Amino acid sequence: MHPGLQLGFLEFEVARIDAWHAFLTEVCGLVDVGGGRYRMDGHAWRIQLREGPLDDLATVGWEFEDDSLDAAIRRLEAAGYPVTEADPKARGAQRRYTIIDPAGVPGELVTGLDRADTPFQSPVVKAGFVADELGLGHLVLTAPDPAATRRFYTELLGMRVSDYIRTTFFGHDVDLTFLHANPRHHTLAFGGPQRKRIEHFLIEVASVDEVGLAYDRTIQAGHRIHLTMGRHPNDEMLSFYARTPSRFHFEFGWGGRQLDMAIEHDTQVFDRISTWGHQPPAFAFGKPR
Ligand code: FE2
């Protein structure tokens, strides 16, 4: 069954707003639509920037289909999470409520985010982005209490577990849980505490060459590569990771797996982060061993 939910928008509070503008438009290929907002698909906007010292994720916007929002609000309130009605016009939404997740990450539950009047065309990413009904992309959030985070996003918001990755990665224990909200393999993942509210967000493009072109632009613009090109075993995304101007990461990918919502998904535990690649540059390009 379709949970009727997607990642509707991300708002970042950033210290270096000019650097973020250049990063989103020239490197990622989003289009500035004014007011600190950036477009990447049929939605009027998907990313909002505001200037400030936080230098982190400010708000995650969860866009519900109308008929699933009320039930989610009832479940949150019954579990003791305050849900506060807010002005929907401030986000170009039909309905809007604010929440705080178990890790303290501010979220908004919205319906009916404004759609654009014109078809989307990026002057940079000619093939366009894989978004629209699959949502903006995905994100990895901090979760000091993974059980509480899991319950919040599954039992209360309505997402489902896709699978898990449990392994060690360059000496660090990794225990990641991946959740889907629609056919996109995962919209949200978490695996313990992070340095910031967000570890990374992903945007997906419609052609593999656009990943390579973005890799070149990322290097040319001087954004530090975090993980080299690689492919994940669970969502099958071919991607690379680099650092945003706020020092958390972004993932730029292609070929992400979509789940068949008509059948119950079989959850698996994967024993590696990547089938190939995704190596730290110091390991990949450091001294010959
Ligand atoms: Fe990712």
Side-chain angles (χ1 to χ4, degrees), residues 39-58:
R39 187 181 166 195
M40 63 184 291
D41 64 355
H43 273 57
W45 61 278
R46 287 289 199 174
I47 291 179
Q48 165 107 49
L49 299 182
R50 69 177 199 222
E51 202 162 12
L54 186 66
D55 229 17
D56 199 349
L57 176 67

Side-chain angles (χ1 to χ4, degrees), residues 170 224-228 278-289:
F170 293 92
R224 182 185 293 187
I225 298 295
H226 174 58
L227 298 174
T228 59
H278 290 149
Q279 293 167 348
F283 179 78
F285 306 121
K287 283 197 204 115
R289 285 177 293 276

Side-chain angles (χ1 to χ4, degrees), residues 25 33 53 77 134 157-158 196 200 217 225 240 243:
T25 56
V33 292
E77 287 179 334
L134 299 176
L157 258 66
K196 299 205 173 205
H200 77 264
R217 292 193 300 272
I225 298 295
F240 70 90
R243 204 154 85 170

